[in-house]
């Protein structure tokens, strides 16, 4: 099977731009100082890690390996981790940190707590107070801790994405099974609602039909789409390599379709007798839409959790993103 060229995606564009910056910073360091062997070693590390990043964002893979890489996310996370190591090495290869301290402190503050000893040590460091080798150790430790927090957040966001995909597959299978049963055995899953005081009404008329379950599911999905639109409107842009919003919307739509069927079954079973009366086909279809939208109550917690995960997985500091 032939190989596929990697698609141009947002995360690749961001990684490529930062890789170009790493190489520009390396070139700006000038010729290596033969008396500073440690600086030369850090230069070599930066060049090696930059080569790994370049390989990750340009590697061609077969279709099946592309799918496996997408699911595991190894190429994304390897690219980011190598990029972070290259950025650390470029900083460490310098002959001093006076000009870089404001940016370094801001970057570390994005990911480490106020009382983290590595952040405190970096904020209290005064260039020239210690030998350059000790200053390097302080800077490298603080940056690695900050980048590790970001990298671990990427792992968490990928795990959440994969769980959303698995849940979507299960919901799709359940909805498809319900629709197939309703189509093959009309009335086996009763979608008609009636009572002693009100006439019996069905989604497609006054008698059960094979398309009743499908019709209720479609209307429930439509109700869920309305809540998905609200999610799209309030979601802020993100540079994370794992974008959750599409998977969240899929969960909402599939869950809305399933809940609409369950809700109509509850209406038909008389669970809401005395509270809700369905007197016409239009009222029944409207309730299917409302029940589909009601999934928002269940998925609101998922939305809040996804927001927290994505906030932790920012690959760029706030200030850098805003420039």
């Amino acid at each position: 099977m032939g190989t596929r060229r990697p698609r141009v995606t947002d995360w690749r564009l961001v990684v490529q731009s930062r890789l170009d910056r790493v190489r520009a910073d390396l070139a700006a360091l000038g010729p290596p100082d033969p008396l500073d062997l440690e600086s030369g070693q850090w230069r070599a590390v930066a060049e090696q890690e930059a080569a790994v990043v370049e390989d990750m964002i340009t590697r061609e893979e077969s279709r099946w390996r592309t799918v496996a890489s997408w699911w595991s996310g190894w190429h994304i996370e390897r690219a980011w981790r190598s990029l972070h190591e290259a950025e650390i090495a470029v900083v460490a290869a310098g002959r001093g940190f006076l000009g870089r301290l404001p940016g370094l402190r801001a970057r570390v503050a994005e990911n480490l707590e106020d009382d983290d000893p590595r952040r405190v040590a970096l904020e209290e460091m005064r260039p020239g107070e210690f030998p350059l080798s000790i200053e390097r150790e302080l800077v490298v430790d603080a940056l690695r801790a900050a980048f590790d927090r970001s990298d671990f957040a990427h792992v968490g966001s990928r795990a959440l994405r994969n769980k959303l995909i698995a849940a979507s597959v299960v919901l799709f299978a359940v909805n498809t099974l319900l629709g197939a049963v309703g189509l093959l055995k009309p009335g086996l899953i009763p979608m008609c609602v009636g009572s002693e005081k009100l006439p019996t009404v069905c989604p497609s008329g006054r008698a059960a039909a094979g398309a009743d379950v499908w019709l209720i599911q479609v209307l429930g999905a439509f109700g869920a789409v309305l809540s998905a639109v609200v999610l799209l409107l309030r979601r802020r842009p993100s540079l994370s390599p794992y974008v959750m919003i599409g998977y969240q919307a899929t969960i909402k739509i599939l869950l809305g379709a399933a809940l609409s069927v369950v809700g109509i079954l509850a209406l038909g079973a008389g669970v809401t007798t005395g509270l809700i009366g369905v007197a016409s086909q239009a009222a029944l279809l409207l309730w299917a839409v409302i029940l589909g939208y009601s999934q928002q109550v269940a998925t609101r917690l998922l939305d809040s959790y996804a927001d927290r995960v994505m906030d932790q997985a920012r690959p760029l500091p706030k200030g850098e993103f805003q420039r």
Side-chain angles (χ1 to χ4, degrees):
M1 182 178 293
T3 59
R4 300 180 61 193
R5 294 183 62 83
R7 296 185 298 111
V8 178
T9 54
D10 290 344
W11 76 267
R12 282 191 171 90
L13 292 175
V14 174
V15 170
Q16 182 66 65
S17 66
R18 290 179 65 170
L19 177 60
D20 294 340
R21 190 182 308 171
V22 165
R23 287 170 171 164
D25 288 345
L26 272 175
L29 291 175
D33 186 353
L35 299 179
D36 190 354
L37 298 180
E38 189 176 356
S39 175
Q41 293 172 350
W42 281 112
R43 286 172 183 256
V45 171
E47 292 170 354
Q48 292 172 1
E49 296 296 339
V52 173
V53 176
E54 184 71 30
D55 178 50
M56 289 296 102
I57 62 179
T58 60
R59 172 176 297 194
E60 297 182 359
E61 294 181 326
S62 66
R63 186 177 300 274
W64 289 112
R65 286 186 62 86
T66 299
V67 174
S69 297
W70 170 80
W71 179 262
S72 67
W74 75 272
H75 61 302
I76 295 177
E77 289 160 29
R78 179 68 187 278
W80 276 109
R81 289 175 185 270
S82 294
L83 176 64
H84 289 158
E85 284 298 321
E87 291 178 333
I88 292 171
V90 167
V91 173
R95 298 183 178 89
F97 305 101
L98 179 61
R100 290 183 176 269
L101 270 182
L104 295 176
R105 288 168 176 166
R107 177 168 290 186
V108 169
E110 284 290 326
N111 293 292
L112 297 185
E113 304 295 335
D114 293 344
D115 58 349
D116 189 289
R118 293 158 298 191
R119 175 178 172 180
V120 173
L122 182 65
E123 291 178 345
E124 294 179 352
M125 188 181 80
R126 299 294 180 267
E129 183 179 359
F130 301 104
L132 182 58
S133 60
I134 296 179
E135 291 183 354
R136 277 197 179 109
E137 291 178 0
L138 292 174
V139 170
V140 169
D141 283 348
L143 282 179
R144 277 183 174 159
F147 284 141
D148 283 347
R149 180 74 63 87
S150 174
D151 292 333
F152 292 149
H154 285 173
V155 175
S157 59
R158 174 176 54 80
L160 176 60
R161 183 205 64 179
N162 290 352
K163 290 177 182 178
L164 292 178
I165 294 173
S168 298
V169 171
V170 172
L171 285 172
F172 179 79
V174 169
N175 283 324
T176 302
L177 179 61
L178 291 174
V181 170
L183 186 63
L184 297 174
K185 298 283 188 178
L188 184 61
I189 302 177
M191 292 288 99
C192 298
V193 177
S195 65
E196 296 179 357
K197 298 181 181 180
L198 297 173
T200 299
V201 293
C202 299
S204 56
R206 294 190 176 277
D212 285 351
V213 176
W214 289 115
L215 181 57
I216 292 299
Q217 287 179 330
V218 169
L219 291 173
F222 173 72
V225 167
L226 300 179
S227 67
V229 170
V230 175
L231 175 68
L232 289 169
L233 292 176
R234 73 177 182 84
R235 182 56 51 87
R236 64 183 182 220
S238 173
L239 290 177
S240 171
Y242 302 108
V243 180
M244 301 295 175
I245 190 166
Y247 305 109
Q248 291 174 249
T250 301
I251 289 287
K252 289 177 180 291
I253 293 170
L254 294 173
L255 187 59
L259 288 180
S260 64
V261 173
V262 175
I264 297 301
L265 285 174
L267 292 176
V271 174
T272 59
T273 300
L275 298 175
I276 299 174
V278 180
S280 65
Q281 178 188 9
L284 179 62
L285 299 180
L286 178 60
W287 270 109
V289 176
I290 295 173
L291 290 166
Y293 186 85
S294 69
Q295 52 70 39
Q296 180 65 15
V297 176
T299 57
R300 185 176 299 172
L301 294 177
L302 172 63
D303 295 339
S304 299
Y305 177 68
D307 286 342
R308 292 196 299 271
V309 171
M310 298 304 291
D311 284 342
Q312 295 174 356
R314 289 190 305 266
L316 294 177
K318 291 180 181 178
E320 189 170 346
F321 174 69
Q322 292 171 350
R323 280 201 294 269

